[in-house]
Amino acid sequence: MGYQIQSIATNVFYDGLDLPEWENISTQPLRKSHFFAKDIFVAIKAIKSGKVFHTMGDGAHGKAVTVHPIFGRMRNFSKSYAELALTSGADVIPVFTHIERSGHIKVIFYPPLDQGREDMEREDRVSLMVRQYVSLLSDEYRRDPASVHLKHMTRFLDCPPIENNSG
């Protein structure tokens, strides 16, 4: 659609995809375990210059994580994207993909996450956004489990099960 996109990822996701559309995507490899100051600077600069900034909402690494239940397991979810949105004034637009039987990739854009009210505590606003994302991710996993990348499924299966307190 012609948008300029800045992406930060744990690896260069777009390598090997020889599509002309990727020429609008600039990548900055994310450090192995969490955002560093340089990555935050790159993100804010991209947003302020009018680019779309892409990062993974279901990242489980780093220091800025929160734990949420998902399908009977407790899993870490990054809250960096929510913090970044509040800092920069950007909307968080969840995007999911499905692999169709035809081999095409269907891209689904959800409405922006609710960032809460201005009078709410910052941490409550961040938590609100992360909970919304976890809910959407749960729905997507349930709707189309075949489109969940094996790496993400393995990460999920490595998460500890929720303890049953009934006895």
Side-chain angles (χ1 to χ4, degrees):
M1 294 171 31
Y3 292 106
Q4 293 293 310
I5 299 173
Q6 176 71 44
S7 181
I8 291 184
T10 53
N11 57 20
V12 183
F13 175 78
Y14 306 100
D15 277 359
L17 296 176
D18 188 23
L19 299 171
E21 294 81 4
W22 297 142
E23 68 189 27
N24 290 328
I25 300 174
S26 305
T27 58
Q28 163 98 12
L30 179 65
R31 307 312 182 268
K32 286 197 181 258
S33 62
H34 50 65
F35 279 103
F36 284 84
K38 182 179 178 185
D39 300 314
I40 296 297
F41 175 76
V42 167
I44 291 175
K45 184 177 174 185
I47 291 167
K48 296 291 184 189
S49 72
K51 287 185 177 180
V52 172
F53 178 75
H54 168 261
T55 189
M56 303 299 279
D58 59 349
H61 301 291
K63 295 179 182 176
V65 297
T66 181
V67 180
H68 291 273
I70 182 168
F71 296 116
R73 297 186 181 269
M74 297 301 292
R75 186 184 183 289
N76 288 347
F77 286 89
S78 172
K79 57 184 183 176
S80 297
Y81 67 91
E83 293 278 2
L84 180 62
L86 292 177
T87 299
S88 67
D91 285 329
V92 176
I93 300 172
V95 179
F96 294 94
T97 58
H98 294 270
I99 301 170
E100 303 286 306
R101 286 183 176 198
S102 64
H104 291 99
I105 297 174
K106 181 178 181 180
V107 181
I108 301 159
F109 294 86
Y110 279 89
L113 297 180
D114 179 359
Q115 294 187 10
R117 299 178 321 272
E118 293 287 329
D119 65 340
M120 292 172 65
E121 294 292 325
R122 183 179 179 91
E123 191 59 35
D124 291 338
R125 294 177 75 192
V126 167
S127 179
L128 173 66
M129 284 188 276
V130 174
R131 286 192 319 271
Q132 290 171 79
Y133 181 80
V134 171
S135 177
L136 289 172
L137 183 67
S138 296
D139 292 346
E140 289 294 322
Y141 273 30
R142 188 175 290 111
R143 183 178 301 115
D144 189 12
S147 287
V148 179
H149 191 283
L150 182 58
K151 179 175 84 172
H152 294 275
M153 187 60 70
T154 301
R155 182 184 300 152
F156 167 76
L157 292 172
D158 286 342
C159 292
I162 294 174
E163 303 235 353
N164 185 351
N165 292 330
S166 63

